[in-house]
Each structure stands twice: as C-alpha cells, then as structure tokens.
Amino acid sequence: MNTNTPLLSRRMALGAAAAAALLSTVPAMAMGRLTDVRVVDRDRDTVVPMYQYRGELWIAGEPGARYGIELRNDSRERLLNVVSVDGVNVITGETASPDQAGYVLDPYQRYDVNGWRKSRKEIAAFEFTSLPRSYAARTGRPDDVGVIGVALFGERQRPRPM
C-alpha cells in the first residue's frame, strides 16, 4: 500500500476467509455461508457498512474511532475463527498465519473481538489510525496494515467405529 494515500487512514480492507475444511480460499462474498463477519464502530455502537470494490470488501473508518469485529457462526458445526488485524493475530500478537490460535464458536454462536489480547483480562482496542501510527508498522510489519482477515476451520470429524 502507498503510505501517501490519504484514504489509507480511513479504510480497512476485509480479507477473504479461508475455509480449511475445503482446503481452498472462499471468495469474500461467500464468507457468510459459514461465519458472518461485521465491523462495529464501538464509539457509535453501529455496524460499519461494507462496500465491494474490484472483488474486495472495503469499509470506511473515521480516524481515531475504536472498532470491533463481530463474528457469528452461521453453520451447524463448531468453527475455529483465526482473526488478524493489520496482519497481526489478535490473540497471540504474532504475524498472522492460519495455523495460529483463534476463537472456537459453537453453531450459531456470536462473539465480539474488540482488540488485541494483552492478557486474559486486558485488550488493546482496535482503532482506525494512519499507517505510521499503526501497531503493525511500529513493530516492523506494515505490509498488511488495513486488512482484517478471518481464517475458518471446521472441526475434524472422528471416524465412526464399524
């Protein structure tokens, strides 16, 4: 991304979800089949509208506004949701990868992710900010600033005894 782009501080891209059970990438528009992902403006308690542009989903954020990510398992099975913001896993703080910790949601369960986990009791709130002020850029990982990613994994089915 170009750091001189003025819209960067106001936009966050919503990454496509990867469905591990299928071992393929799910198009962004199909992600609602397993998990519904919404971005919520925590200051106004409203859902941030998504816009489709060139096959990607985009949102417009207000600089300084705090936001959260609402996950809702729309399937009939338990799903692991590995969530990253700006290329950083929201639980571990590591550079994002699909084989990391995530949130296990039961069928039709909803969960709000409101920041990066600092400890069992503390989180660092997500906030729309400029590229240089982002946590990822300040820790030397600016490549995915502006991207919210969710990788989905179905629970492995145990073989039934014959």
Side-chain angles (χ1 to χ4, degrees):
M1 293 187 158
N2 182 348
T3 58
N4 296 325
T5 304
L7 294 179
L8 180 63
S9 64
R10 292 195 245 162
R11 294 189 186 251
M12 298 280 296
L14 180 61
L22 302 175
L23 297 176
S24 64
T25 301
V26 176
M29 295 307 291
M31 70 185 165
R33 293 180 188 171
L34 296 175
T35 294
D36 185 31
V37 179
R38 301 189 317 171
V39 177
V40 178
D41 182 324
R42 292 183 61 206
D43 296 327
R44 294 185 177 115
D45 196 30
T46 58
V47 174
V48 180
M50 291 187 195
Y51 304 96
Q52 188 173 356
Y53 179 72
R54 295 186 179 174
E56 296 178 332
L57 294 176
W58 291 78
I59 61 172
E62 292 293 324
R66 296 175 311 132
Y67 67 94
I69 301 163
E70 180 183 289
L71 304 170
R72 189 180 68 224
N73 180 353
D74 285 343
S75 76
R76 294 181 182 164
E77 64 178 306
R78 289 176 9 135
L79 293 175
L80 171 65
N81 294 252
V82 179
V83 182
S84 65
V85 171
D86 293 348
V88 178
N89 181 292
V90 300
I91 295 176
T92 66
E94 298 171 18
T95 300
S97 174
D99 61 347
Q100 295 174 336
Y103 300 95
V104 176
L105 300 183
D106 287 325
Y108 308 108
Q109 181 181 357
R110 188 181 139 238
Y111 187 77
D112 294 326
V113 182
N114 290 315
W116 284 283
R117 180 104 2 237
K118 293 173 70 173
S119 70
R120 286 196 172 283
K121 295 182 181 180
E122 289 184 282
I123 63 166
F126 298 134
E127 182 180 317
F128 291 107
T129 188
S130 64
L131 175 64
R133 292 192 60 219
S134 70
Y135 173 70
R138 288 184 288 127
T139 57
R141 303 174 283 181
D143 294 343
D144 293 315
V145 169
V147 178
I148 297 172
V150 180
L152 304 174
F153 300 90
E155 191 167 32
R156 185 176 299 184
Q157 302 298 317
R158 295 183 183 181
R160 294 182 185 196
M162 295 190 169

